[in-house]
Amino acid sequence: MIKKMKFVFAPFALALVLGACSDNEEPAAGEDTQAPETEQAPETEAAPAESALDLPAEDAIVAVVNGEEIQGKVYNSVARQFESTLASQGQDPSTEENLQLIQDEAMSVVIGNAVLLQDAKDKGHEADEAVVEERMEELKANFEDEEAMNEALAETGFTIEEMEEQLREQLVYETYLAEEVDTPAVTDEEVQEAYDGFVESSEEEAPPYEEMEPTIRQSLEEQKSQEATFARVEELRESAEVEVNI
């Protein structure tokens, strides 16, 4: 089953579009290395052809967070990513248990994103419009032409203007995490301990410590960042007014 979410990422719809057009991209270095496990958002893969999800209408209001209405298309993009993740792990997303899990986790992520972005904006974080424009150009470069991009957007239910706003929110999210969320540093002792654990559990001869150290350290840094972010989300949710409509 999908693990309890401990990481949120603002532009889920954007990730869905990019995932659909990046199937042929090479995996990042160290992506398949069996380093310490982290809990993270689902990978952006295309959803199964025959989805078993009972998704709300794109313009339905699935939740209201501190007065902010969350539309169905935002929830749907997250739920489909969870469904794809389960399928890619060889599990059946259509079981009653997994359908409930997908619904619960997708809603948790949507609400978590909302409270984080609201807090970021309350604290004065804004996106650099020059960077927004730069990232929009990078997004467009993933497609053969404008028509292909519009077709991909149509599948998600988002407009080009909404995708630009997603990019803007991503930048706000990034600056907020960097400046407002304290993440403990990873120590050399933690890296060594993680490496030793990997060596003990590996059925094959493990690469030398020096070779794996950067990958392990990055994995631990991401894990600590995710845990710190999750803790902030939980803190914000305690005082948030949340209405769930599905």
Side-chain angles (χ1 to χ4, degrees):
M1 294 191 301
I2 301 175
K3 295 183 177 181
K4 181 68 177 177
M5 285 294 297
K6 289 194 176 180
F7 182 58
V8 288
F9 182 66
F12 270 108
L14 175 64
L16 190 65
V17 172
L18 289 177
C21 66
S22 59
D23 292 337
N24 296 324
E25 291 183 359
E26 294 295 324
E31 185 172 291
D32 295 328
T33 303
Q34 298 181 36
E37 188 174 354
T38 61
E39 300 186 17
Q40 58 187 25
E43 296 178 0
T44 54
E45 300 178 19
E50 296 182 2
S51 174
L53 297 177
D54 182 16
L55 298 174
E58 293 182 350
D59 59 353
I61 305 304
V62 298
V64 181
V65 182
N66 292 324
E68 176 186 348
E69 295 181 341
I70 310 297
Q71 289 189 310
K73 58 186 173 184
V74 175
Y75 166 86
N76 293 348
S77 66
V78 181
R80 285 194 294 263
Q81 289 181 68
F82 274 115
E83 183 183 35
S84 295
T85 298
L86 279 178
S88 71
Q89 294 173 347
Q91 300 185 50
D92 182 3
S94 65
T95 67
E96 182 178 352
E97 180 182 16
N98 281 338
L99 287 174
Q100 186 63 52
L101 179 64
I102 291 170
Q103 177 176 321
D104 293 344
E105 294 298 332
M107 183 57 68
S108 177
V109 168
V110 167
I111 294 171
N113 287 337
V115 295
L116 273 183
L117 285 169
Q118 289 169 359
D119 192 48
K121 292 173 182 177
D122 288 344
K123 288 180 167 58
H125 291 273
E126 297 180 351
D128 185 328
E129 291 303 316
V131 179
V132 173
E133 184 176 349
E134 179 181 333
R135 293 197 180 183
M136 276 299 296
E137 292 303 316
E138 292 174 357
L139 173 61
K140 293 176 182 178
N142 284 277
F143 301 89
E144 293 182 0
D145 50 36
E146 185 175 347
E147 181 180 357
M149 181 176 180
N150 288 334
E151 289 178 357
L153 285 172
E155 292 179 3
T156 68
F158 286 80
T159 65
I160 187 66
E161 291 78 16
E162 289 171 324
M163 296 311 295
E164 183 173 335
E165 183 58 26
Q166 292 262 319
L167 284 168
R168 192 171 285 109
E169 289 184 349
Q170 180 180 2
L171 288 173
V172 171
Y173 176 86
E174 290 172 0
T175 59
Y176 175 80
L177 291 189
E179 298 177 19
E180 306 289 348
V181 179
D182 294 329
T183 301
V186 174
T187 66
D188 294 339
E189 289 76 13
E190 289 173 325
V191 177
Q192 182 68 58
E193 181 181 351
Y195 174 76
D196 292 342
F198 173 73
V199 171
E200 291 178 6
S201 63
S202 178
E203 297 180 357
E204 302 178 357
E205 183 177 356
Y209 174 82
E210 293 74 14
E211 182 178 327
M212 292 194 65
E213 189 273 341
T215 300
I216 294 176
R217 186 176 297 276
Q218 180 181 5
S219 177
L220 291 175
E221 288 173 348
E222 291 174 353
Q223 180 177 332
K224 287 195 173 188
S225 176
Q226 291 163 12
E227 290 172 350
T229 303
F230 181 69
R232 176 59 60 88
V233 168
E234 291 296 284
E235 177 185 340
L236 293 171
R237 285 194 62 166
E238 287 180 2
S239 59
E241 294 184 4
V242 178
E243 174 188 337
V244 176
N245 298 325
I246 60 172

